Amino acid sequence: MVKHSSKPVSGGSWKQKKECRFSSLAKDKQSASKFGAKMQLKDQKKNLQALVTQLQSERNAESEAKKLRIAENRKRREENERKCEIVQKITNTKKLKKIKKKQLRSIETR
């Protein structure tokens, strides 16, 4: 069995040596801010929040307008496709029984 030394190969220990106890550390006094400064900070936060909500609402409005435009384009495209179709009216329904299945699939009722 090989005995390992207590010191790691890298030369440093994995725990750092404490210089002093936590209780003896010098504590900073919290700076007492003035009431006016607090109110000014509060107003700045409020204005910033209002700006953020405004930007979000503008972005939402833009996306809604884009969705509407896409839907209108799709609808117009479908209408144009229907206009350019060649339609033949079937008056004799007995012909449907003679038609092959592949042709039956292509038939649409309106």
Side-chain angles (χ1 to χ4, degrees), residues 32-89:
S33 56
K34 304 284 187 244
F35 181 74
K38 283 184 184 178
M39 287 293 119
Q40 189 177 9
L41 191 64
K42 189 176 180 181
D43 288 339
Q44 286 177 351
K45 282 185 181 179
K46 191 175 180 181
N47 291 339
L48 186 66
Q49 190 63 32
L51 182 67
V52 167
T53 53
Q54 179 188 357
L55 290 174
Q56 284 178 345
S57 63
E58 286 176 3
R59 193 177 302 136
N60 289 342
E62 287 175 4
S63 65
E64 288 295 322
K66 189 176 181 181
K67 284 179 187 177
L68 279 172
R69 194 172 64 244
I70 290 170
E72 288 172 358
N73 287 345
R74 186 178 296 129
K75 187 177 178 182
R76 191 172 61 245
R77 194 176 301 124
E78 287 174 0
E79 287 174 0
N80 289 340
E81 284 176 4
R82 284 217 172 145
K83 281 180 189 176
C84 72
E85 283 179 350
I86 299 170
V87 180
Q88 188 176 4
K89 192 174 181 182

Side-chain angles (χ1 to χ4, degrees), residues 82 84-92 95-96 99 103 106-110:
R82 284 217 172 145
C84 72
E85 283 179 350
I86 299 170
V87 180
Q88 188 176 4
K89 192 174 181 182
I90 299 173
T91 54
N92 189 3
K95 283 185 182 180
L96 291 173
I99 292 176
Q103 286 180 330
S106 65
I107 293 174
E108 292 180 11
T109 57
R110 291 185 192 165

